[in-house]
Amino acid sequence: DSGVTQTPKHLITATGQRVTLRCSPRSGDLSVYWYQQSLDQGLQFLIQYYNGEERAKGNILERFSAQQFPDLHSELNLSSLELGDSALYFCASSVGQGRDTEAFFGQGTRLTVV
Amino acid sequence: AQKITQTQPGMFVQEKEAVTLDCTYDTSDPSYGLFWYKQPSSGEMIFLIYQGSYDQQNATEGRYSLNFQKARKSANLVISASQLGDSAMYFCAMREGVTGGGNKLTFGTGTQLKVEL
């Protein structure tokens, strides 16, 4: 158990809908990262938050947004869902934001858009 | 341009043998970190080992060791005494800084390892 908790584990929804994925980082970790894993794109970095502030942005679509709350949990919001958004979404956390800090992953949320 | 290259889509190894999974990387940043993760069929990403760009010695964690050759920009994972439970997808990743002070992990395409009796 990495200590990073993601809910829900599975989500099935229809095209055009909006969903929210939730992540609770390991105790004491200030950085939260979101990644998307799909068959055609592999593992892609979406966004990083550090202590409530956005710090890095990757290939995140405009239909997607995220935030980190004062209690350090984070949510990833996906709207106007398309079939191609079906993927495994991971949250990871680390103590700081230095390049030498380890990142521990949650078990992921498997999103299926039908 | 591919920043992390894993050239072995699939590997087979016999139980109790050692296996090396290849990883090369490309960066112009003098400060970076290299990671290996294991992803079993259940889907979770399990952290295995980390190597910093300034580390003088190769990292080791139990049966895992990282063969870091900085000049060649390679960071191969060596698994000794393979076990059936080692069968999984293995990802090499590099952490780099990005504009604004944050950082991100860039992953390779992975190597599917199968341990056989």
Side-chain angles (χ1 to χ4, degrees):
Chain A
D1 184 3
S2 67
V4 180
T5 303
Q6 288 188 250
T7 56
K9 287 190 170 45
H10 301 277
L11 199 48
I12 302 174
T13 190
T15 53
Q17 295 298 304
R18 171 189 168 95
V19 297
T20 297
L21 312 184
R22 182 188 168 101
C23 170
S24 294
R26 293 187 317 156
S27 177
D29 284 1
L30 299 178
S31 269
V32 169
Y33 310 80
W34 286 97
Y35 291 85
Q36 178 195 58
Q37 185 178 30
S38 61
L39 283 173
D40 54 344
Q41 297 286 334
L43 270 156
Q44 298 278 321
F45 168 71
L46 295 178
I47 198 163
Q48 178 205 3
Y49 280 84
Y50 177 76
N51 204 19
E53 293 188 6
E54 182 186 306
R55 284 303 173 92
K57 212 165 186 175
N59 298 324
I60 187 166
L61 299 172
E62 285 191 9
R63 300 184 286 109
F64 296 1
S65 64
Q67 54 184 324
Q68 186 180 29
F69 295 87
D71 67 352
L72 300 177
H73 91 271
S74 179
E75 292 181 356
L76 179 67
N77 300 297
L78 315 176
S79 61
S80 302
L81 284 167
E82 302 175 358
L83 295 177
D85 298 328
S86 296
L88 188 53
Y89 290 85
F90 284 107
C91 167
S93 73
S94 62
V95 171
Q97 57 172 351
R99 298 165 199 183
D100 59 348
T101 52
E102 300 164 359
F104 294 89
F105 282 71
Q107 292 199 317
T109 293
R110 187 170 295 280
L111 174 67
T112 303
V113 182
V114 297
Chain B
Q2 190 75 289
K3 291 207 163 188
I4 296 285
T5 302
Q6 294 181 254
T7 57
Q8 306 152 315
M11 290 275 289
F12 289 90
V13 65
Q14 292 223 308
E15 196 181 22
K16 300 177 187 174
E17 297 289 310
V19 63
T20 298
L21 306 184
D22 294 341
C23 173
T24 58
Y25 60 92
D26 183 28
T27 182
S28 57
D29 194 334
S31 177
Y32 52 90
L34 296 160
F35 299 77
W36 278 92
Y37 289 87
K38 172 184 177 182
Q39 187 176 38
S41 56
S42 51
E44 70 266 35
M45 292 287 285
I46 302 168
F47 166 77
L48 296 178
I49 197 166
Y50 161 81
Q51 179 86 41
S53 57
Y54 294 117
D55 292 343
Q56 295 296 318
Q57 293 195 329
N58 287 342
T60 60
E61 290 283 351
R63 294 187 299 110
Y64 304 108
S65 60
L66 201 153
N67 185 1
F68 181 45
Q69 297 189 45
K70 196 169 182 177
R72 294 186 178 184
K73 294 189 174 179
S74 77
N76 298 339
L77 176 70
V78 180
I79 305 175
S80 62
S82 297
Q83 302 171 355
L84 294 177
D86 294 334
S87 295
M89 181 72 89
Y90 289 79
F91 290 97
C92 178
M94 178 171 62
R95 169 166 285 169
E96 299 176 284
V98 298
T99 305
N103 66 83
K104 65 173 185 177
L105 283 171
T106 300
F107 286 85
T109 50
T111 295
Q112 182 72 47
L113 177 66
K114 173 77 173 167
V115 180
E116 300 174 315
L117 289 170

